[in-house]
């Protein structure tokens, strides 16, 4: 008996459905850039095609009467012309469809907000110097960044006020600006809890490193599972990313080898709320080749 041949339209529809569902929980790669000159120019990072989001780290001094200050390590200094090069690179990245964010905070502890008015003043400064506002002194020239990333590692007070003020500025523009945050994985007493409770944040990349109690472990992933579930069910954000070190040297603890990431970690987090991975940082990623090893599986 001759077997019936499958109708071409049916094959096409089946293939389309498989493709749709295989990509429905697909994620993006993001990376922090700016804290080591060995990672090369920002444009080099974007030219690889590996990343959809780049966080420029950091606006490390602000608030409490201090003069806001960018710290891009050896890439450039406030008195050099290097910031103009970064500005051109920002525009280059954006033309390639990559979102480029200003990350504020970091581990310097040179920042604090003394009051809600102080928070609003800092938001105004960021809006006018880096985003859609106007100022004669814009460190990156005409480049307009895509939003602000909160990498706050000291003090909680008034960051909600900062988020609200930035959101008010965002509402005046036809361009889409983003609010993102990088909290450490312990959910209880998290420094960014007040800001994240505003429901204003688009993406949250949770730092699953330097905190053994909620990091991923192949032998016992229960702490990671619990933390991921609590973050994704308690905070209202569009997407959640798994923040990981790009090598053993990038953090004290928390590095996840590529095979464990692909075969064990990613099946835990894949859901409509999953956004992808955020790596610290590009310098260590260059040393390890981590992003190239995992990008097709994220």
């Amino acid at each position: 008996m001759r077997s019936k041949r499958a109708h071409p339209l049916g094959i096409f529809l089946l293939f389309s459905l498989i493709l749709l569902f295989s990509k429905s929980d697909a994620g993006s790669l993001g990376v922090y850039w700016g804290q080591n000159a060995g990672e090369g120019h920002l444009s080099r990072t974007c030219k690889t095609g590996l990343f959809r989001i780049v966080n420029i780290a950091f606006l490390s001094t602000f608030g409490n009467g201090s003069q806001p200050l960018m710290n891009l390590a050896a890439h450039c200094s406030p008195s050099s012309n290097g910031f103009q090069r970064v500005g051109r690179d920002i525009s280059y990245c954006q033309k390639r469809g990559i979102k480029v964010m200003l990350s504020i905070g970091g581990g310097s502890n040179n920042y604090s907000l003394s009051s809600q008015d102080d928070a609003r003043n800092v938001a105004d400064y960021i809006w006018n110097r880096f985003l859609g506002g106007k100022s004669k002194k814009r460190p990156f020239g005409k480049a307009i960044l895509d939003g602000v990333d909160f990498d706050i590692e000291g003090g909680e007070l008034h960051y909600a006020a900062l988020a609200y003020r930035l959101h008010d500025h965002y509402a005046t523009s036809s361009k889409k600006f983003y609010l993102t945050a990088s909290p450490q994985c312990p959910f209880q007493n998290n420094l960014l809890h007040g800001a994240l409770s505003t429901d204003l944040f688009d993406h949250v990349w949770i730092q699953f490193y330097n905190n053994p109690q909620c990091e991923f472990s192949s032998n016992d992933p229960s702490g990671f599972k619990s933390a991921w579930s609590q973050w994704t069910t308690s905070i209202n954000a569009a997407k959640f990313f798994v923040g990981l070190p790009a090598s053993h040297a990038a953090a004290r603890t928390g590095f996840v080898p590529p095979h464990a990431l692909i075969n064990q970690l990613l099946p835990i987090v894949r859901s409509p709320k999953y956004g992808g991975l955020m790596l610290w940082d590009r310098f260590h990623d260059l040393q390890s080749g981590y992003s190239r090893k995992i990008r097709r599986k994220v």
Side-chain angles (χ1 to χ4, degrees):
M1 179 181 292
R2 294 178 60 187
S3 61
K4 293 183 180 180
R5 296 180 61 185
H7 194 281
L9 179 59
I11 295 175
F12 173 77
L13 291 174
L14 178 62
F15 177 77
S16 298
L17 286 171
I18 292 173
L19 188 64
L20 173 65
F21 284 104
S22 66
K23 290 187 175 183
S24 61
D25 294 334
S28 301
L29 272 178
V31 70
Y32 280 85
W33 175 94
Q35 288 300 292
N36 194 305
E39 64 203 344
H41 294 306
L42 176 61
S43 58
R44 178 184 171 189
T45 295
C46 294
K47 191 175 182 179
T48 64
L50 293 167
F51 308 105
R52 305 310 303 164
I53 305 167
V54 178
N55 291 326
I56 295 182
F58 293 102
L59 182 70
S60 60
T61 300
F62 59 83
N64 200 26
S66 63
Q67 175 64 34
L69 181 66
M70 284 293 303
N71 173 10
L72 294 182
H75 283 288
C76 49
S77 66
S79 59
S80 74
N81 293 323
F83 281 116
Q84 295 301 312
R85 168 62 196 253
V86 176
R88 293 192 296 272
D89 285 359
I90 290 168
S91 298
Y92 171 84
C93 296
Q94 291 171 329
K95 289 176 181 177
R96 296 176 68 91
I98 298 165
K99 302 300 182 187
V100 186
M101 308 286 292
L102 173 68
S103 188
I104 66 172
S108 71
N109 293 321
N110 291 329
Y111 53 89
S112 63
L113 298 174
S114 59
S115 65
Q116 292 192 10
D117 284 341
D118 189 24
R120 287 188 280 266
N121 288 335
V122 170
D124 293 345
Y125 178 92
I126 292 172
W127 174 254
N128 290 323
R129 300 294 182 101
F130 298 98
L131 303 177
K134 294 182 179 180
S135 173
K136 294 180 179 179
K137 297 180 179 180
R138 291 180 63 91
F140 300 137
K142 295 181 180 180
I144 300 174
L145 289 160
D146 291 295
V148 181
D149 171 54
F150 286 39
D151 188 350
I152 305 303
E153 299 182 19
E156 179 185 0
L157 290 176
H158 311 303
Y159 284 101
L162 180 63
Y164 277 121
R165 183 67 160 200
L166 286 170
H167 184 263
D168 288 343
H169 283 303
Y170 290 5
T172 68
S173 175
S174 59
K175 173 181 168 65
K176 167 64 177 176
F177 289 98
Y178 295 83
L179 277 178
T180 66
S182 181
Q184 297 188 41
C185 59
F187 186 81
Q188 299 298 327
N189 301 317
N190 194 279
L191 295 175
L192 280 170
H193 181 76
L196 289 170
S197 296
T198 64
D199 296 345
L200 297 177
F201 285 76
D202 299 281
H203 305 317
V204 179
W205 17 82
I206 306 155
Q207 295 183 33
F208 286 101
Y209 50 95
N210 295 334
N211 288 282
Q213 68 270 35
C214 46
E215 293 169 3
F216 176 82
S217 169
S218 295
N219 296 326
D220 181 10
S222 60
F224 173 82
K225 285 182 178 180
S226 176
W228 178 260
S229 175
Q230 189 163 22
W231 277 105
T232 56
T233 58
S234 302
I235 299 298
N236 184 21
K239 294 290 182 180
F240 293 84
F241 289 61
V242 180
L244 293 174
S247 72
H248 284 289
R252 295 188 302 273
T253 58
F255 178 71
V256 180
H259 66 276
L261 173 81
I262 294 166
N263 297 317
Q264 296 178 268
L265 187 154
L266 289 179
I268 294 172
V269 299
R270 290 200 189 279
S271 73
K273 289 187 176 182
Y274 167 70
L277 303 182
M278 178 59 68
L279 301 181
W280 177 267
D281 61 353
R282 178 56 177 158
F283 172 75
H284 291 94
D285 181 51
L286 275 173
Q287 307 307 304
S288 67
Y290 194 72
S291 60
R292 290 192 180 278
K293 296 173 184 176
I294 65 172
R295 66 169 183 165
R296 298 188 183 280
K297 300 296 184 179
V298 172

